[in-house]
Amino acid sequence: MPYWEPILDIVANVKSSKTSALELVQKALSNIEKYKEYNSVITTLESSALGRAEQIDKDIEEHKDPGLLAGVPFLAKDNFLVLGAETTAGSNMLRGFIPPYQATAINKLEAAGAICVGKTNLDAFAHGGSTENSDFGVTLNPIDKTRVSGGSSGGSAAAVALGIVPFALGTDTGGSIRQPSAFCGVVGYKPTYGLVSRSGVVAMGSSLDSIGPIGTRSDDLALVLDVISGRDELDATTIEKNPLGYLGLNSVIKGQRIGVVKEFLGNGVAPDIRKAVDSVLDLLKDKGAQIDEVSLPSTSLALVCYYIICPAEVSSNLSRYDGQRYGYSSNADDLEHSYLNSRAGGFGKEAKRRIMIGNFVLSSGYYDAYYKKAQTVRTKIINEFNQAFMNFDFLVGPVTPITAFKIGSKIDDPVSMYLADEMTVSANLVGIPSVSVPIGVDTDKLPIGFQIMAPQNKDRELLGMVKAMQEEIDVS
Ligand code: GLN
């Protein structure tokens, strides 16, 4: 599974006509075909991608600026609206839906010369951690086909790990970029909340949803973030990007103050993961980082807090799928039955579960006991992180308590599936950037991810740290 060259080199070769955008797109398309059995890509955009590649090659011939990402093929999770392409969010509810507009992130990538070659598999509406909730079949883990690739951006992570494309876009509401990246051995980046526009991305939990890239190198992710980040008038929660951009900072490990989150290293963590994390901490220490343990007691409540707030927001966001305006529609004698039948037939089990939980925690009589309390806990968690960041540049720990699990082993036990999100949901509740970096494998040769979190808007510093780690220490 050879990875692509660094994106900066790919672009330099396209610009100097050493290689053509057309060749790159053809390579990505043939990779999609070659790795079909993994089911990481559910829609291929062959004709539009080839057309765009020809246009970019023509622009170069005519000495027009082809953009920062000229000719770079990429995949987008199938919850990004892409013009002319079916956008299903992995659910039967949206099968056949062709969006009338395009996600801001895709617009920005296209304006920079990148080329979307297809859409990747995901848990329906991004609910899940294994892609087993997808109505398009499960994505197989690139290292062991009997295991899941993680989720919900499992298709994007697997595609990058298989070397289909140099990068893919994912979404992360409670870990969906980082967890599959950990399971597949690639780097997954969840930016600060609001740094990348959510416009044109199928909403899951609007106060938690982040959009970010999955790739293999820090610089590649930084370059993509440079392109997709920043204020967008179509998403009022967006923020300005760092005027210095995200590329090029090479932090030195020496002198960094790193806090190891005590609650992330409890008994539930697999021994191989614990060992890998400990050995990376030793390496960081050897390079001069200052490593200390830090306790964030409220993080032990993060998972329950997330599984109240997230379904509450899900239940609201999914109310638009009523069978009338778009998506799956079931015939009925009256409007009420059309609503009922469309929602009963279009949504899968997990979406229905979250709608039920969401409506329950928001209903009068239970609102104070669940939703309001969860928001109070969320504030407590935010305060604890802010406090910790007064003493530390980064907070670290594992991404997941376990490595990629067997297909089918958790799908009938939603609570055990939810437990795999224990260490990722805090970053979403707090709105901070967080990354998963591969740091080795367990005894079954399954990849292990290391999580690094930084304060809000320290995305440049976080990517610089990943770069330093990838350069200074052998994390493979
Ligand atoms: N696994 C988590 C969930 O099911 C996270 C999902 C996500 O980040 N989209 O909610």
Side-chain angles (χ1 to χ4, degrees):
M1 293 182 279
Y3 290 151
W4 288 62
E5 322 166 64
I7 293 179
L8 278 174
D9 295 352
I10 299 177
V11 175
N13 288 340
V14 171
K15 285 188 174 169
S16 63
S17 300
K18 251 196 212 134
T19 174
S20 66
L22 192 62
E23 281 171 85
L24 297 175
V25 164
Q26 280 165 341
K27 176 175 161 185
L29 291 171
S30 80
N31 285 341
I32 294 176
E33 201 46 44
K34 186 164 156 198
Y35 295 113
K36 233 184 166 76
E37 63 173 313
Y38 289 88
N39 199 28
S40 63
V41 178
I42 55 177
T43 305
T44 306
L45 304 179
E46 191 168 336
S47 67
S48 64
L50 291 170
R52 281 186 45 77
E54 279 167 11
Q55 183 60 48
I56 285 168
D57 288 334
K58 202 162 145 246
D59 286 350
I60 290 167
E61 249 177 61
E62 292 167 2
H63 305 291
K64 290 186 194 149
D65 180 11
L68 258 181
L69 294 174
V72 179
F74 73 96
L75 288 160
K77 188 176 177 178
D78 199 28
N79 53 356
F80 284 78
L81 308 192
V82 173
L83 275 176
E86 186 182 3
T87 299
T88 67
S91 171
N92 283 334
M93 187 53 117
L94 282 173
R95 219 180 255 270
F97 172 65
I98 308 282
Y101 70 104
Q102 182 157 276
T104 296
I106 304 287
N107 281 336
K108 288 186 170 184
L109 285 168
E110 286 191 344
I115 301 170
C116 185
V117 293
K119 313 287 294 289
T120 57
N121 199 8
L122 69 156
D123 289 289
F125 290 107
H127 306 162
S130 67
T131 74
E132 291 168 291
N133 292 331
S134 169
D135 288 332
F136 294 78
V138 62
T139 298
L140 312 185
N141 188 293
I143 292 93
D144 176 348
K145 287 184 220 167
T146 66
R147 293 176 186 269
V148 301
S149 57
S152 60
S153 314
S156 289
V160 170
L162 289 164
I164 293 178
V165 280
F167 81 94
L169 291 181
T171 60
D172 192 311
T173 302
S176 280
I177 286 176
R178 290 159 288 155
Q179 185 255 32
S181 297
F183 281 10
C184 294
V186 291
V187 190
Y189 192 76
K190 174 224 166 303
T192 296
Y193 178 80
L195 189 55
V196 181
S197 170
R198 291 177 291 114
S199 175
V201 180
V202 177
M204 181 176 168
S206 305
S207 78
L208 304 156
D209 293 346
S210 297
I211 282 139
I214 296 175
T216 56
R217 295 175 195 87
S218 169
D219 274 356
D220 291 352
L221 302 183
L223 194 57
V224 174
L225 190 62
D226 261 346
V227 170
I228 62 177
S229 58
R231 284 261 322 133
D232 176 16
E233 61 178 25
L234 298 175
D235 175 358
T237 62
T238 47
I239 54 176
E240 294 298 342
K241 61 191 273 188
N242 186 328
L244 297 171
Y246 299 98
L247 185 66
L249 183 69
N250 194 357
S251 310
V252 273
I253 290 173
K254 192 170 159 66
Q256 300 285 358
R257 298 166 304 161
I258 295 176
V260 186
V261 182
K262 183 174 158 226
E263 287 72 18
F264 287 5
L265 287 171
N267 290 337
V269 177
D272 283 353
I273 295 185
R274 172 86 214 216
K275 239 170 56 199
V277 168
D278 283 344
S279 76
V280 163
L281 292 173
D282 286 344
L283 289 170
L284 288 168
K285 206 171 181 173
D286 281 353
K287 292 282 171 190
Q290 181 195 315
I291 315 264
D292 287 297
E293 195 175 83
V294 56
S295 176
L296 302 170
S298 299
T299 53
S300 58
L301 297 172
L303 196 71
V304 280
C305 177
Y306 171 84
Y307 275 102
I308 292 171
I309 293 172
C310 179
E313 296 184 9
V314 162
S315 68
S316 166
N317 276 325
L318 293 187
S319 64
R320 73 193 64 174
Y321 305 102
D322 57 6
Q324 314 309 309
R325 286 163 292 183
Y326 47 77
Y328 176 80
S329 184
S330 170
N331 284 333
D333 292 338
D334 55 54
L335 185 60
E336 190 174 343
H337 283 93
S338 173
Y339 287 152
L340 287 172
N341 297 349
S342 301
R343 289 171 70 79
F347 286 132
K349 248 189 183 164
E350 186 60 28
K352 286 176 186 164
R353 188 178 291 128
R354 294 191 190 216
I355 292 169
M356 298 285 286
I357 297 172
N359 281 303
F360 176 78
V361 299
L362 289 172
S363 58
S364 73
Y366 293 104
Y367 178 92
D368 282 354
Y370 292 99
Y371 183 75
K372 202 170 157 204
K373 206 174 260 173
Q375 291 292 11
T376 308
V377 173
R378 183 178 190 173
T379 304
K380 254 181 100 75
I381 297 171
I382 293 171
N383 290 342
E384 274 177 21
F385 270 83
N386 286 342
Q387 191 69 36
F389 281 127
M390 303 230 270
N391 300 318
F392 295 102
D393 300 305
F394 303 105
L395 296 173
V396 301
V399 179
T400 50
I402 46 169
T403 49
F405 46 87
K406 289 271 185 195
I407 292 169
S409 64
K410 288 185 188 292
I411 193 67
D412 296 322
D413 182 359
V415 173
S416 96
M417 186 82 85
Y418 297 168
L419 283 171
D421 305 330
E422 211 180 334
M423 294 139 186
T424 47
V425 295
S426 292
N428 301 78
L429 290 167
V430 182
I432 51 175
S434 174
V435 63
S436 170
V437 188
I439 52 164
V441 293
D442 69 3
T443 41
D444 291 325
K445 304 258 179 297
L446 299 168
I448 295 172
F450 184 62
Q451 182 174 205
I452 319 175
M453 296 173 280
Q456 274 193 347
N457 295 320
K458 295 284 181 195
D459 297 81
R460 181 174 158 81
E461 290 73 6
L462 181 51
L463 285 160
M465 180 64 184
V466 177
K467 183 169 170 148
M469 267 184 73
Q470 287 190 311
E471 277 177 7
E472 286 189 48
I473 57 183
D474 182 11
V475 287
S476 56

